[in-house]
Amino acid sequence: MAESSSALRINGPARLSGQVSVTGAKNSALKLMAASLLAPGKNTLLNVPDIKDVEIMADLLTRMGCTVAFDKAVHTLEIDVPQEPAHKAEYELVRKMRASINVLGPLLTRVGIAEISLPGGDAIGSRGLDFHIAGLEALGAKVTFEHGYIIASAPDGLVGATFELTFPSVGATENLMTAAVMAKGTTTLHNVAREPDIIDLGEYLIAMGAKIEGLGSSTLTIEGVDQLHAATHSTLPDRIVTGTWAFAAAMTQGDITIIGGRADHLEIPLDKLVAAGAVVTTTPDGFRVRMDQRPIAIDVATLPYPGFPTDLQPMAISLNSVATGSAIVTENVFEARFMFVNELRRLGAQITVDGHHAAITGVPLLSGAPVAATDIRAGAGLVLAALVADGVTIVEDAFHIERGYPNFAANLRALGADVTVI
Ligand code: UD1
């Protein structure tokens, strides 16, 4: 990471224009790294983003006996996995990053036991693990909680089963897929998540020799195999970082070409930006978002993929804060994801929250003030708001943003913003 920040200083307003490149998705790369535990030998992941969470996952895998080498210049990560990985993930690392829970499925199916500290991660709701546990129990695992750890065991191996998720949880789908690939017999998972990250993980598992059908649909059929072999896979581009740049272009009445961005992974968010008045055009290697007017307010309701992503909800609220008219943003995925609204109000945004609805009335320009990031996406949403605020905004606790946005400040500067890392 080029610059390490405790705060970002943004002198607004700004109009962003130019080109920005998007690298691999955080939420995919972390899961691919965890899934590597399934295959002994040298696994290679390409297009891995240079972000803090990748370092944390690399630390976790190293503690489990893997040898991890990250060539940041070419975004390539090699993970040499031992025959007998250690099965414990300690609090010290897990508390820093919730995606640590993704080692549960691979460890359970490969070594028959996993002890994982209960995760921390972003402050965006209760984020239970009940679906993960019910699914693993359906596959024959025994799960207990002791001293802050989840202890899951399957001494005689997991056995394929049919299981329906109550809600299409991304993390639970991933843990169940990675457990089922080496269970005995067939597993059928209903109501699974359909995020592109799930397809990415499934393709990596297939490259390792797994038998999976139905990727991208709401039912997965997985035929267990005895063992998997090391593989090479390229991480898909980050659709949330891509979407953040698209919102930044629209909000600042700018013009950004997002190289490597996949418009087909963002159909609903981009439709919303078009409704707000933006012009979206595809280019040979990505797409371009241009806005020539103050945005028109847009109603948004977050839903599992292909719905509007909860991770872009802060960006939708920030855009509406400077739009003409009023809008309602409804959060359907995480119950406590409006915490950053108080920070946005400090910039002069007109927002009232009622349960999981936020009503926003746009103002022409926000007003710079000190604010604090509460999680990755809230932090990015605040930076976008600072770009449409008059004067200086200091975004404290900017380390959250670094967890998900490689070179954020440098990219903003290249697009014309006055941003310094403090
Ligand atoms: C992942 C993403 C996160 C994104 C979210 C939804 C990573 C590292 N994080 O989080 O950025 O916002 O998907 O797209 O990939 N739930 C339960 N019980 C469970 C599991 C989930 O009640 O066992 C609830 C959660 O509290 C939440 C909802 O289900 O309200 C969705 O959570 P889930 O899809 O599992 O999100 P994560 O995988 O944690």
Side-chain angles (χ1 to χ4, degrees):
M1 277 158 288
E3 296 170 291
S4 189
S5 54
S6 62
L8 291 176
R9 180 184 187 279
I10 299 123
N11 191 6
R15 178 182 176 275
L16 299 190
S17 77
Q19 294 189 340
V20 67
S21 292
V22 173
T23 52
K26 169 182 92 76
N27 286 355
S28 217
L30 298 174
K31 320 310 176 59
L32 299 171
M33 290 174 75
S36 300
L37 285 167
L38 286 163
K42 195 175 275 183
N43 293 279
T44 305
L45 298 175
L46 310 173
N47 200 27
V48 175
D50 178 12
I51 49 171
K52 189 78 195 160
D53 277 16
V54 165
E55 286 179 16
I56 298 172
M57 185 60 91
D59 273 359
L60 185 60
L61 295 178
T62 304
R63 303 273 182 98
M64 292 180 158
C66 302
T67 305
V68 184
F70 190 14
D71 187 340
K72 295 178 179 179
V74 289
H75 300 283
T76 300
L77 188 84
E78 281 183 354
I79 307 171
D80 205 337
V81 179
Q83 285 298 336
E84 286 284 325
H87 65 263
K88 193 161 182 176
E90 310 271 359
Y91 176 68
E92 173 206 346
L93 285 174
V94 177
R95 77 181 186 91
K96 292 185 190 162
M97 187 185 65
R98 182 179 164 90
S100 315
I101 195 69
N102 274 64
V103 300
L104 180 59
L107 286 177
L108 189 56
T109 209
R110 244 204 92 198
V111 291
I113 182 157
E115 288 183 53
I116 320 286
S117 172
L118 285 164
D122 299 328
I124 55 174
S126 65
R127 304 186 88 169
L129 291 172
D130 44 339
F131 311 149
H132 301 240
I133 291 160
L136 293 173
E137 284 175 342
L139 295 176
K142 292 208 171 9
V143 183
T144 56
F145 293 88
E146 285 166 38
H147 309 294
Y149 279 76
I150 304 172
I151 303 176
S153 63
D156 301 322
L158 297 171
V159 180
T162 296
F163 180 76
E164 176 161 352
L165 285 119
T166 317
F167 182 88
S169 151
V170 174
T173 301
E174 291 162 342
N175 257 331
L176 296 179
M177 279 168 80
T178 49
V181 284
M182 283 173 65
K184 289 188 199 77
T186 307
T187 298
T188 307
L189 302 172
H190 294 294
N191 197 26
V192 295
R194 292 184 283 158
E195 267 71 359
D197 323 28
I198 301 288
I199 301 178
D200 207 32
L201 174 62
E203 286 173 351
Y204 182 38
L205 296 172
I206 289 168
M208 288 175 171
K211 294 186 176 157
I212 306 175
E213 279 177 22
L215 286 174
S217 78
S218 53
T219 297
L220 293 176
T221 308
I222 300 169
E223 195 71 49
V225 296
D226 289 340
Q227 57 184 26
L228 295 169
H229 55 78
T232 297
H233 181 80
S234 183
T235 316
L236 93 174
D238 197 311
R239 90 197 135 92
I240 305 300
V241 172
T242 303
T244 302
W245 291 123
F247 270 81
M251 281 176 66
T252 64
Q253 299 180 42
D255 185 351
I256 303 181
T257 299
I258 306 159
I259 297 164
R262 295 264 310 250
D264 58 325
H265 288 167
L266 287 162
E267 281 185 15
I268 291 181
L270 295 180
D271 280 354
K272 290 286 174 188
L273 291 182
V274 168
V279 179
V280 179
T281 42
T282 50
T283 61
D285 48 9
F287 66 97
R288 174 180 175 190
V289 180
R290 202 187 81 223
M291 181 72 123
D292 298 327
Q293 62 183 67
R294 199 173 145 197
I296 302 159
I298 42 163
D299 291 332
V300 164
T302 68
L303 282 172
Y305 191 84
F308 192 96
T310 173
D311 286 353
L312 289 177
Q313 177 255 94
M315 296 45 165
I317 294 191
S318 289
L319 178 133
N320 280 314
S321 300
V322 290
T324 54
S326 300
I328 306 274
V329 172
T330 302
E331 174 56 59
N332 292 310
V333 181
F334 287 109
E335 80 265 29
R337 215 170 188 174
F338 283 146
M339 285 196 309
F340 90 110
V341 162
N342 284 334
E343 300 299 305
L344 209 49
R345 282 198 194 108
R346 295 176 50 73
L347 300 178
Q350 305 287 311
I351 308 173
T352 52
V353 172
D354 183 4
H356 64 134
H357 304 288
I360 310 114
T361 298
V363 297
L365 192 62
L366 298 172
S367 162
V371 290
T374 49
D375 70 65
I376 305 175
R377 310 304 171 189
L382 286 170
V383 171
L384 263 50
L387 295 172
V388 288
D390 185 39
V392 172
T393 296
I394 309 280
V395 180
E396 299 281 358
D397 298 340
F399 63 89
H400 282 296
I401 306 172
E402 283 175 359
R403 290 184 45 210
Y405 291 85
N407 298 319
F408 200 42
N411 282 326
L412 285 164
R413 278 196 296 269
L415 293 168
D418 179 357
V419 179
T420 30
V421 173
I422 303 176

